[in-house]
Amino acid sequence: MLNDIYNAIDPVAFSIGPFSVRWYGIAYILGFVCAALIVYAVARHWKIRYGGYYVLTLTIFCAVGVIIGARLGYCLIYGQGYYLQHPLQIFAVSNGGMSFHGAMVGMLLAVFIYAVIYRMPFMTLSDLLVIGIPIGLFFGRCANFINGELYGAPTDLPWGVDFTGTGIFYHPSQLYEGLLEGLVIFLVLFILSRRLPPFPRGTFSGFFLILYGCFRILLEFVRLPDAQMGYFFGTWGTMGQLLSLPMVIIGILLLIYARHTHHPQAGIGKVPAETAESD
């Protein structure tokens, strides 16, 4: 059934003359919009004064950081020097090549700059954002499935998909990731966010890093590595696993930090700059 669905969906959602809109681009837009709505809703639930202006500006900062970080991360980590020799190809985003770990670094830098400019607590912003990010991951992985990229190892399971048109069926690992890294993490963090007063600063960021890192490490065992990278240790050990391991460690340290410091989530938003709390 999944194979029929894959074959029925065109990666190009629609075209207007020479201009084509791909599902991948739509997934990015949906991800940012849904994440912004979730951040706004959770902030209101936490009784944080976080108006629409701040949500909009934070979303713009994050979008720029994610896109730049994802592209540069891919070029530096997976490019194997190609983009250093052909720097103009860095801007050829339509040819594909985005890295989640690069996107995460880019977003964190953007949020740090935003926190400094608006004098808002970085860790509270981070905790809010990681509750919305998984929905963006879900849309992104669905778009990966539609594009027929980042698929898993060959399988004879009934939900295998022939991504290559060669009659070989592969694990739809994009959907596995969308389910675990997207929906499951979102549900866990969103349920935790219902508690009042909210858990201390760093709790949600820590849980996100641990859950994403663990899920990514496990799912990489059924996902084929990037062809240019391969495995680092015979038949296992991918770049995704190596980059995800530090996420788990940092997540554990953040939970320890949250438990011992017990800083409450700060009231941010429409407050005078001189009285806004900062981490």
Side-chain angles (χ1 to χ4, degrees):
M1 184 177 70
L2 276 179
N3 191 61
D4 295 334
I5 294 174
Y6 167 73
N7 289 321
I9 302 177
D10 191 325
V12 177
F14 61 89
S15 298
I16 302 176
F19 181 73
S20 297
V21 176
R22 301 177 67 88
W23 286 111
Y24 195 81
I26 294 176
Y28 262 80
I29 295 172
L30 285 176
F32 288 128
V33 171
C34 290
L37 293 174
I38 291 167
V39 167
Y40 181 73
V42 173
R44 286 177 61 87
H45 181 69
W46 288 357
K47 295 180 172 53
I48 292 177
R49 291 169 293 174
Y50 196 65
Y53 168 78
Y54 291 99
V55 173
L56 178 61
T57 53
L58 179 61
T59 302
I60 293 173
F61 270 73
C62 289
V64 173
V66 165
I67 293 172
I68 294 177
R71 184 56 177 168
L72 290 181
Y74 177 85
C75 294
L76 293 174
I77 297 171
Y78 298 97
Q80 295 189 313
Y82 170 82
Y83 293 96
L84 295 177
Q85 299 175 10
H86 307 85
L88 293 180
Q89 289 299 309
I90 294 176
F91 302 99
V93 181
S94 59
N95 294 335
M98 305 289 271
S99 163
F100 166 78
H101 295 92
M104 185 179 65
V105 172
M107 188 197 71
L108 287 176
L109 289 175
V111 173
F112 177 78
I113 295 172
Y114 179 91
V116 170
I117 292 175
Y118 289 94
R119 300 189 65 181
M120 294 181 176
F122 171 80
M123 194 55 71
T124 293
L125 290 173
S126 176
D127 279 350
L128 284 170
L129 283 168
V130 297
I131 300 172
I133 285 173
I135 294 300
L137 290 174
F138 171 76
F139 285 125
R141 292 311 182 193
C142 289
N144 291 146
F145 173 79
I146 293 173
N147 284 349
E149 59 193 7
L150 308 180
Y151 48 83
T155 180
D156 56 2
L157 292 172
W159 56 81
V161 178
D162 180 8
F163 290 106
T164 60
T166 59
I168 301 175
F169 290 80
Y170 299 86
H171 281 285
S173 57
Q174 316 95 323
L175 300 184
Y176 303 165
E177 292 188 73
L179 176 63
L180 293 178
E181 299 168 4
L183 295 183
V184 171
I185 294 181
F186 167 70
L187 288 174
V188 170
L189 296 182
F190 188 75
I191 291 172
L192 291 177
S193 74
R194 298 295 87 194
R195 177 182 183 267
L196 288 176
F199 288 99
R201 290 184 221 173
T203 301
F204 294 89
S205 299
F207 273 123
F208 172 81
L209 291 173
I210 292 171
L211 289 172
Y212 180 89
C214 290
F215 286 152
R216 181 69 182 267
I217 290 171
L218 290 174
L219 290 171
E220 288 279 325
F221 284 107
V222 296
R223 171 177 157 177
L224 290 177
D226 290 81
Q228 72 274 25
M229 303 296 292
Y231 295 104
F232 290 102
F233 309 107
T235 58
W236 67 281
T238 66
M239 179 60 76
Q241 289 173 322
L242 294 180
L243 294 175
S244 297
L245 182 59
M247 294 178 64
V248 178
I249 297 173
I250 295 172
I252 293 172
L253 294 176
L254 273 177
L255 289 184
I256 295 173
Y257 161 84
R259 179 179 177 82
H260 286 277
T261 59
H262 208 78
H263 289 315
Q265 301 292 350
I268 59 180
K270 295 180 180 179
V271 294
E274 63 270 17
T275 62
E277 185 178 357
S278 177
D279 272 340

